[in-house]
Amino acid sequence: MTDTAPTPSAHQPAGPPSAEPRHFWRMFAIWIVLSAILDPLFYFLVGPHVPPGTMTSSAAENQLDFNILFVIALPVILAVWVYLGYSIIMWRASRKDAPEPVGGEAARTNLRVQTAWITVTSVIVLFLAGFGTYELIQNYGAGGGQGPNPIWKPTASHILPVQVIGQQWKFTYRYPTYGGFETQQLILPADTTIAFHVTSLDVIHSFWAYQLSIKADANPQVDNVAYTTTRQLGRFTVRCSELCGLWHGAMYNFGQVVPKAQFDSWARQTELTTAANTRLLPPFAWTYVPDANGAGGGYYNNTVDPYSPSEVYGARQPAS
Amino acid sequence: MTISAERESEVAYPDPTPPHAGGIQGWTSRPGWLSQHLGTAIVGAVAGYLIGHWLGNVIASGYNYVANSGVNAIANTGGLLLGALGWLIGIGALNYPLAKMVGMEPAPEQETTSWTRYFRYTADHKVVGLQYVIGVLLFLFTGGLLAMAIRTELLSPTSHVFGPGTYISIVSEHGTMMMMMATSAVVGPLGNWLVPIMIGARRTAFPRIEAFSFWIFSAGYLVILTALPYGGFPTGWTGYAPLQTQASGGMMSYLVGFALIGSGMMAAGFNLAVTIVNYRAPGMTWSRVPIFVWSILATCALLTLATPTLVAAGLFGILDHTAQTAFYVNEHGGSSYLWENLFWFFGHPEVYIMALPGFGIVGEILPVFTRKPLFAYKVAAAGMVGVALLSFFVWQHHLFQSGINPDMRPLFMLTTELISIPTGFIFLVGMGTLYKAKIRFEVPMLFALALFFNFLIGGVTGVFLSDVPVNVTVHGGFFVLSHFHYTIMGGLIFALFGGLYFWLPKMTGKTMNKKLGQIHFWMMFIFFNLTFFPMFIIGLLGQPRRVFEYQQNLQALNDFSSVSAFILGSSFLVFIANFAWSIFIKPTPAPPNPWNSLGLEWQTASPVPYYNFERIPVVLTDPYRYGEEGAPPVADLGEELVGAGAGPRAGTSTGETSATSAE
C-alpha cells in the first residue's frame, strides 16, 4: 500500500545492488498478508456487530460507514506499524554489522517518495470526504441534528413528528399529531420515518438515542431536527451526551419501537388519559421560552407532587 | 574565508545590550529576602485578592447573580483580577513600566548564578525556561491527580466515591487545567529555553514579555485552583453557555483563569515569533532553521491569532455574570451559539497549539538517534505552516450535531479531512528518517517513537470523528475522549517528556538516570495505551463523557481502564524520583553534548553562558548533516577569535553595561 510503499522502493536503486536485502518487498509482503487477513476478518466478523446496530435506517447506514472507514484505516495503521516494527528490528544500532547510515542529498529529500505520499494521502482523504458527504446527504442527515431548517428531508409520505424536550435533568416527549400530549416514555412505531424536533428548556443537552443512531443537541429556543426510519422492534437507550450540570450522568431513559398498530393505540389512549394535563401545558410549539427569572427555567410548577399517580405534572405558562 | 568577512559585521548585529527585568534602583540589587521574589508575589496576590474582594462587595453589596447563591460574582472577579495584579506587582513585573512612567531609570539586572534567580522575575530566557519546566510539571501533576479521582469514581457504575456535584467539579477542573497546561507545555519550557540558542541569538526579542508570560501563566494556575474552594464549576473545560450563565462560584475562576492564561499565551507567542523572525544569527536562513523552531513559529502564529478570541469570549462571560449583559443569554437576545463558536474558533487552533510542538521535538530527536538527516525537511516545515493555516477553518466540526446550518457540515467535514494531509507529513518525515538508519534506543528516542505509535491511533480516529455519519455515534462519548487523549497526551506529553530527557542535560548540566528513564517510559507507554484504548470501545458501546453513572455491562472495561490509569499515574512518580535524584540529590555532571548531536544548541559551552554564545555564531549549514563525509560544522562559533577556552565574555561590545535599554 499506499503510504509506506514508495519510501523504500524509491530508495532501492540508490543502495548497493546485490547484498542489500529488498526491504520494500519484505515490508510490502508482510503488510499485504496482514491486511488481507485482518480486513475481511473485521468486516465479516466484527462489522455486523459494530454499534449502533441496524435498528433504524440511520443506524444501519452509519454502521456501514464506520465499517468502510475501518476497512480503509486498518491497512493504513498496519502499514505504519509494519514499517516501524521492521525498522526497529532491522536498523537498530545494537545489531552486529549494522552499516553506517548514509547521509547526503539522497537521504534528505526524495521527490518521488514525497509526491507519492502526498498523492496517496490526498486521494484517501478526498475519497473519505466525498463518501462521507454522500452518506450524509442520501441518508437525510445521517440521524444528526440539522438545525431548524433541514435541507435533506426524507421523501416518505408519512412522517411522524416527535418533539424531544431536554431539561435539567430529563427528556420529555410531545407528540403534536396526537394533541401535543407530553410523556416521559418514548414510544415509536416500526417502519416509520420519524422527525425528531429537539429543543431545550434550560441549558444545552444532547439527545442521543443510541440504537437509533440519532444525536441532536437540545438548545434552548432552537428546534433541532433529525430524521430516521425505524426498522426493527425493541428497546433502545436515550442518554444525554452534552454536559448539562449536576445530574448529567443520570440523565437517561429507555424507549421502545413497537408495531404500528400498537403505537397508534398507545398514543390515542395516552392522549385521552392525559387530556386534562395537556390543557395545562403550554400550547404545543416548536420551541419554548424559558423563564429567565428563575435558574431552572420554570417550565414545571413545583407545587405539584411529582409522584402523582398519573405521572404527569401540572405546568404553567412561561413567564417571559 | 568568507566567514571572517561575515564576522566583520558582527558588531552591527543588533543585540549587544544585556536583557534585564528592570528592578527598582537599589532594591533588587540588594541580596536576600528583602528583594522581590516568589514570597513577595504570594503576599501581593493575597493582599490583592482581599482588596479586590472587599472592593467588589463595596461596589455591589448584596449582588447575587444567581438568586440566593450567596456568591457575589463582582467580588469574586475583583478578588481574582486584583489578586493576579498583586502577584505581578509582588514579583516585580511592573517595576520597569512603572519606573519608566515616572521618569526613573530602572536598575539593570544583576548577572547572577545564585539559585534564587529561579524564584525571581528575570529576563534570562534560560531561567524562564526552567521556571516553566517546574510550572508546567506542577500543572500537569495537579491535573493528573484529578484524573486519578475521576478514574476512582468510575470504578463502579452505581456506587459513588464522590457526590455528583463534586464529581462534575473534578472533571471540569481536570479538563480545564490540562488544557491550560498543554497550551504552554512545550512553548513555555522548551520554546523559551531552546529557540534563542537554536537560532544563535543571545536573548529573546522581548525578555520582559517573556518573563511576564511565565508569571501570568502561574497566576492562571493559582486562579483555576481557586475554583475548587469556590465550589467548582459544572461546565467542563468547554464552558458551554447556558450552563456557564447558570453557574456561579467557580465559574469566575474559569473565566478569569482562561483570560490570564490567554494573556500569557499571547505574550509567549508574540515574543517567540518576533525572536524567530528577527533574531536569527547570520547565515541562519529559513532553510537552515531547525524543525523545532519551525514548529514553534507555527504554534506562535496560532497563539497570537487564536487566543484573543478566547480572551474576548471570556470577557463576555465575565460581563454576563457581573454587569448583567446578555451575550450568551438566549432569552435576552444573546446566543449560546456565540460562545460555542467563539470558544471553538479558539479551541481548534488550540488543538494544534498542542500538537505542533510535539512534532517539532521528535523532528529534532529522530536525526540524532538515527544518525541520519531529517527526511523531507521542507515538507515538514510546509506541513506545519499548512496545519497552522488550515486549523482556522475546521472549528465547526465540534458542532456537527449542535444544530448549525446543515450545509456547513460537508464543508467542515472536508476541511477537517484535508488537515490530516499536512498532519500526516510528520509520518513521512519520521518514516523516511528511520529508513536504513542506525537507531539508538536512548530514552528520548523511545518517547519519540512512541509518539508515532500513539499519534497514529489518535489521528486515524480523528478521521472517524470528522465523518459526520460516524460522528453521530462517537460525538460526545468516550470515543472522542480517548481520541484527544491519544493526540494530546500520546502526542504532546510524550514528546514533552522525550524533549525533557533529551535537553535537560543541556538545560541543567546534569545527567538524567537512564534506568529510571526507561522504567518511566515503559510504564507510561504501556499503561497509557491500556488506559485509553479500552475507552474507544467504551465510547462505541454508548458511554457519554463526563458521566458518573454508566451501564452495568461496561464496568469490566472501565475498571480495566481505571487500574491502568493508576499505574500510568504512578509512572510519573518514577519521573519525579528521577528528576529529584539526578538533578538535586546526586547530580552527575553532563557533558556539553551527551547525545553527539549536530544541533547548534549543543555546540555552546555547558552550562550555557549568560549570553548563550561567546560570539554570535555564523551559521554555515542546517543541523542535520549526519552520515555525510566532510560536512561543515553547523556554525562558526568564532571561538578561535576569543580563545578556545571561551573565557570571560570578551570582545563583543564594551559599552553595553550602560543602563539604557535596548528596546
Side-chain angles (χ1 to χ4, degrees), chain B residues 232-267:
Chain B
F233 53 99
T235 59
W237 90 280
T238 47
Y240 273 8
L243 192 58
Q244 179 200 100
T245 317
Q246 200 184 63
S248 67
M251 208 64 232
M252 304 317 295
S253 305
Y254 167 92
L255 293 167
V256 174
F258 252 135
L260 295 178
I261 292 277
S263 312
M265 288 159 69
M266 284 188 277

Side-chain angles (χ1 to χ4, degrees), chain B residues 494 520-531 564 568:
Chain B
F494 271 77
H520 170 213
F521 169 76
W522 285 111
M523 273 175 82
M524 186 168 158
F525 177 64
I526 292 171
F527 289 99
F528 165 77
N529 278 288
L530 291 184
T531 302
S564 305
L568 172 64

Side-chain angles (χ1 to χ4, degrees), chain B residues 413-497:
Chain B
M413 175 164 27
L414 177 67
T415 55
T416 309
E417 302 259 16
L418 283 181
I419 206 169
S420 59
I421 299 173
T423 312
F425 288 172
I426 189 65
F427 285 91
L428 171 69
V429 171
M431 291 159 74
T433 309
L434 286 177
Y435 185 70
K436 287 192 190 173
K438 195 173 174 183
I439 306 171
R440 288 185 292 160
F441 296 102
E442 299 287 347
V443 178
M445 186 64 177
L446 293 175
F447 278 99
L449 289 173
L451 178 134
F452 287 103
F453 184 90
N454 298 336
F455 203 87
L456 177 68
I457 298 174
V460 166
T461 50
V463 174
F464 282 73
L465 282 156
S466 74
D467 186 278
V468 182
V470 174
N471 187 277
V472 170
T473 301
V474 293
H475 172 91
F478 264 52
F479 189 93
V480 64
L481 183 147
S482 185
H483 155 75
F484 68 71
H485 280 86
Y486 259 95
T487 51
I488 298 171
M489 187 168 181
L492 182 86
I493 300 300
F494 271 77
L496 171 67
F497 279 103

Side-chain angles (χ1 to χ4, degrees), chain B residues 13 15 125-126 194-205 275-276 278-282 284 600 608 610-613 616-617 619:
Chain B
Y13 184 67
D15 182 27
H125 71 92
K126 297 183 290 298
L194 285 168
V195 162
I197 306 183
M198 277 185 162
I199 62 174
R202 293 191 144 172
R203 59 175 175 92
T204 59
T275 306
I276 293 168
N278 291 315
Y279 275 63
R280 281 168 294 128
M284 180 60 87
L600 181 55
V608 181
Y610 189 67
Y611 294 102
N612 299 347
F613 299 97
I616 295 292
V619 178

